[in-house]
Amino acid sequence: MHHQQSGAGGGVLVTRDGRLLAMIGRSCAKRAEQHLDNYAMPLPDLKTPIQDIIAGKYTPPVNPLETPDGPRRHKPVDFGLVMIPDVVPRTPAYVEEVVVGSPAASAGIKTDDLVLFVNGELIQSCRHLNEVLGKLEDGTAVDWYFRREGKLQTVKLTVPKKPE
C-alpha cells in the first residue's frame, strides 16, 4: 500500500527522475471536515510571476478566500492608521504612520504603537486586525489597546461611516 503525504507550501513536485513539474501552494485547512488540501501550480503558470518578482514588478493578486465573511467593510486606514507592510502570516500589528487630522491622530495614537486588543479581542497580526475591523458596523464605539514603550495605552474610536 502506497501512502501519499501532503507537501509543504513552497515545496516542489518532481517526477521520479527529478524533473521539476510544479510548486506546492499554501495548504487549505477544512477544520469542520478535519482534513488538509494542497494544490500545485504547474511550472509554466509560474514563469511570468517569477520573472516579475526578479524584475521587481510583481503585485500579488487579491485572494477573495482571505475574507471568509464576505467583503471587508472597514480597514485601519479608515481610522487614519497605516500599518507596517504585511509580509508574513503573523506580521505584528505595528502602526507605521498616523494620518494627520484623522480620528487616530486626534486620539493620540503614534507611530510604532503596537495594536494589542480591539474590543477585547487579542490582535495576533496585521491580517487579524483587518479581519476584526472588517466586521465592525458604522458608528460602533471601539476600544483599542496599544503597547507604547512598554506601557499600555487605551483609546476609544468610533467606526466611521463608509460611503455607499
Side-chain angles (χ1 to χ4, degrees):
M1 184 168 133
H2 183 274
H3 176 69
Q4 187 172 351
Q5 205 170 8
S6 296
V12 294
L13 184 63
V14 295
T15 62
R16 288 184 184 201
D17 61 356
R19 278 190 348 221
L20 181 62
L21 294 176
M23 186 172 87
I24 299 170
R26 183 173 67 185
S27 299
C28 303
K30 294 185 180 180
R31 289 190 181 112
E33 299 170 21
Q34 295 187 344
H35 80 271
L36 194 64
D37 291 333
N38 273 75
Y39 64 91
M41 291 292 296
L43 200 55
D45 293 349
L46 293 172
K47 184 177 180 183
T48 300
I50 289 170
Q51 289 171 339
D52 288 349
I53 289 168
I54 292 168
K57 60 181 185 175
Y58 177 73
T59 305
V62 175
N63 182 353
L65 297 177
E66 292 292 320
T67 56
D69 296 326
R72 292 196 179 110
R73 293 175 50 84
H74 297 283
K75 297 177 181 177
V77 74
D78 298 334
F79 297 88
L81 298 173
V82 177
M83 307 308 290
I84 64 171
D86 185 16
V87 293
V88 295
R90 290 234 177 200
T91 301
Y94 279 102
V95 175
E96 182 170 32
E97 182 182 338
V98 180
V99 177
V100 176
S102 69
S106 299
I109 299 170
K110 299 186 182 293
T111 298
D112 295 330
D113 281 355
L114 173 65
V115 181
L116 297 176
F117 294 91
V118 172
N119 276 353
E121 186 165 347
L122 176 64
I123 301 301
Q124 299 175 0
S125 65
C126 285
R127 291 177 195 181
H128 187 228
L129 176 63
N130 282 328
E131 289 171 15
V132 170
L133 296 181
K135 296 174 186 175
L136 298 174
E137 296 295 329
D138 293 351
T140 306
V142 181
D143 292 316
W144 295 69
Y145 293 84
F146 296 88
R147 187 183 78 201
R148 179 184 306 147
E149 298 173 4
K151 295 184 180 167
L152 187 64
Q153 308 289 323
T154 60
V155 169
K156 188 178 282 288
L157 293 172
T158 301
V159 178
K161 184 173 170 59
K162 290 284 268 187
E164 303 265 340

